[in-house]
Amino acid sequence: MSGCNTAVSKEDASPNAEIATCPQRFGNKAVDGGFEASIKIAKPVIPRANDIAPEKVLQAFNTWAFKREQPDNSVAMLQSISKSIAVRNPVPFVLYWGKGPRSNIDKPDFECLNYLAAFTRRISKIYAPGAALRLIFTDTHAELNGHTSQNIRQYFDEVADGARERGFESCWLGDLTRAAEADNTSPLIDEIVPEPTFQRLLASAVKWYRGNGSCEEGALEYYRMNMVEKCAVERAFPDSIFITFNGSEFRGLFPQNLPIFYMYSLRKGISIKPWFLVPDMAAREQRAS
């Protein structure tokens, strides 16, 4: 039997639904007996990717459910989204993922990965190709902080597995930097670190730096590394949106020409990086928020 057999309710139709006609035959004659009745039923049609406004995609994730403060450049974000829509590609995001005292993936990491998965799902509901999220493992920073190669590899490999299960890709910051150097696109850094930035990096170094030299030396080297690495990231992912769990006070450490999305880490109200948390610390963070 040809034709449609089920009706679609108003609740099932999306706001962007188009009307598709589908005749439905009935066995009863009309009252005057002159004809068999047919009706036309509305079916929801998913909008084509090219029909989606970039502003709608931005609104899907640029909410206080995810952002800790306003993005630094919404215009550049819309440009990145528009480029993706034009070729029906996922919207690209990149994110630094570091290493703390743990050498194995644990609950805080899974909570963060799940939160990022919720972030990308919000985009997929509006824009069918969705989002492409790539974790950039900061192996260079971990080495600077005194972690062994074995522990670095073990932790990042486990996080990579968890990311892959959620549809995320990953790469290593050291590889990106070496590729830029081989291409002769790695800059020479001789600038002086701004004093406010240095003080923030020093406070972090006091907590986590276990490398050679003083904490002051570690903070200075960390800044110089970031100046090179942010150029390598921009070279590798020129159309991406950069996600960070830091605030805008660290804007100078991130790729200059990529729009920055300042995001919570585990859930709304929590911005501490998951790799610095052990499970009981994460529980205390949640109770305090």
Side-chain angles (χ1 to χ4, degrees), residues 14 16-18 43-49 51-52 124-128:
S14 69
N16 297 317
E18 298 175 0
K43 292 196 305 181
V45 177
I46 298 175
R48 294 171 299 176
D51 294 336
I52 301 296
S124 298
K125 290 179 180 178
I126 299 297
Y127 174 60

Side-chain angles (χ1 to χ4, degrees), residues 73-186:
N73 193 335
S74 295
V75 172
M77 283 191 181
L78 288 172
Q79 291 174 345
S80 175
I81 295 169
S82 297
K83 289 180 180 179
S84 298
I85 291 176
V87 292
R88 299 177 60 85
N89 280 344
V91 179
F93 294 87
V94 294
L95 164 72
Y96 279 169
W97 191 288
K99 185 193 180 308
R102 289 183 286 104
S103 297
N104 298 96
I105 193 171
D106 213 324
K107 184 178 179 181
D109 306 303
F110 288 120
E111 290 182 4
C112 180
L113 290 172
N114 290 337
Y115 189 51
L116 291 168
F119 173 87
T120 59
R121 283 197 301 272
R122 286 286 294 268
I123 298 172
S124 298
K125 290 179 180 178
I126 299 297
Y127 174 60
L133 178 62
R134 182 184 298 267
L135 308 184
I136 302 176
F137 296 136
T138 57
D139 56 318
T140 52
H141 303 172
E143 291 172 4
L144 177 66
N145 284 336
H147 296 288
T148 66
S149 298
Q150 179 180 351
N151 289 344
I152 293 170
R153 171 65 63 179
Q154 181 171 319
Y155 174 69
F156 284 149
D157 281 351
E158 291 183 11
V159 175
D161 289 340
R164 193 179 305 110
E165 291 173 358
R166 291 158 179 80
F168 307 152
E169 297 182 356
S170 61
C171 63
W172 293 57
L173 185 54
D175 291 339
L176 299 181
T177 305
R178 284 187 289 272
E181 291 172 347
D183 235 4
N184 294 320
T185 56
S186 183

Side-chain angles (χ1 to χ4, degrees), residues 6 10 25 36 63-64 66 102 122 137 158 161 179 182 197 211 216 219 257 262 268-269 283:
T6 58
K10 293 181 179 178
R25 289 292 179 182
E36 288 185 346
T63 76
W64 293 111
F66 298 108
R102 289 183 286 104
R122 286 286 294 268
F137 296 136
E158 291 183 11
D161 289 340
T197 300
E216 289 80 3
N257 295 313
Y262 303 104
K268 182 178 181 180

Side-chain angles (χ1 to χ4, degrees), residues 58 61 70-81 83-84 91-96 132-134 136 171 173 176 226 228-244 247-248 250-262:
L58 178 60
F61 67 88
Q70 295 289 2
D72 79 319
N73 193 335
S74 295
V75 172
M77 283 191 181
L78 288 172
Q79 291 174 345
S80 175
I81 295 169
K83 289 180 180 179
S84 298
V91 179
F93 294 87
V94 294
L95 164 72
Y96 279 169
L133 178 62
R134 182 184 298 267
I136 302 176
C171 63
L173 185 54
L176 299 181
N226 272 269
V228 174
E229 291 163 345
K230 70 178 186 178
C231 297
V233 170
E234 187 172 321
R235 167 189 174 276
F237 309 108
D239 296 320
S240 292
I241 297 171
F242 189 92
I243 295 175
T244 178
S248 57
F250 289 101
R251 176 63 180 91
L253 301 180
F254 311 136
Q256 181 176 350
N257 295 313
L258 299 188
I260 311 299
F261 187 76
Y262 303 104

